[in-house]
Amino acid sequence: MRRDRIEARVLAGCIIIAESGCWVWVESDSGGGRGGGYPRLKLDGATVAVHRLMWTNRNGLIPPRKQIDHKCRVRCCVNPDHLEMVTHKENMKRRDAARGGRKCKN
């Protein structure tokens, strides 16, 4: 099944942190610029955000004006259990409360 293959491919690019349950992506990311540091993966010829891919793979499409937030505040975590669909306003509120979250260190 395609969903299983996608999840297996994503897991192959992660280190699982037992204490937190985070699936830390250790492959390529979106760089260090504004909004950077998010995991990226090439899938069927297109570059995709891995956290959004995992959300979609488990839960279905992301509607317009919705974003995927990292409840664990770890930007490179792609564990679908640590992700939540929220509005932009809620995502920014959480970001500000956590002071930006923790970025990936590849």
Side-chain angles (χ1 to χ4, degrees):
M1 177 177 251
R2 185 169 195 260
R3 288 181 178 178
D4 295 334
R5 286 192 308 271
I6 289 172
E7 188 159 325
R9 168 60 185 99
V10 169
L11 282 169
C14 294
I15 295 172
I16 297 176
I17 309 299
E19 300 83 35
S20 65
C22 287
W23 300 1
V24 177
W25 183 254
V26 294
E27 293 188 17
S28 63
D29 65 32
S30 57
R34 182 176 177 267
Y38 286 97
R40 294 289 188 258
L41 166 69
K42 216 166 191 129
L43 180 69
D44 298 333
T47 302
V48 297
V50 184
H51 66 293
R52 292 177 60 87
L53 172 67
M54 287 305 294
W55 174 270
T56 302
N57 202 44
R58 286 272 182 98
N59 302 294
L61 295 176
I62 303 166
R65 296 183 300 279
K66 293 291 186 172
Q67 298 179 348
I68 303 303
D69 185 31
H70 296 81
K71 295 185 289 187
C72 59
R73 311 313 318 155
V74 179
R75 194 176 278 198
C76 57
C77 179
V78 297
N79 180 345
D81 294 335
H82 289 196
L83 304 174
E84 181 176 17
M85 187 167 39
V86 297
T87 63
H88 175 73
K89 184 176 180 179
E90 180 63 24
N91 201 5
M92 295 303 100
K93 185 171 131 183
R94 292 176 180 184
R95 179 205 62 189
D96 292 344
R99 301 298 305 147
R102 292 170 283 183
K103 296 186 179 180
C104 303
K105 292 190 167 73
N106 291 347

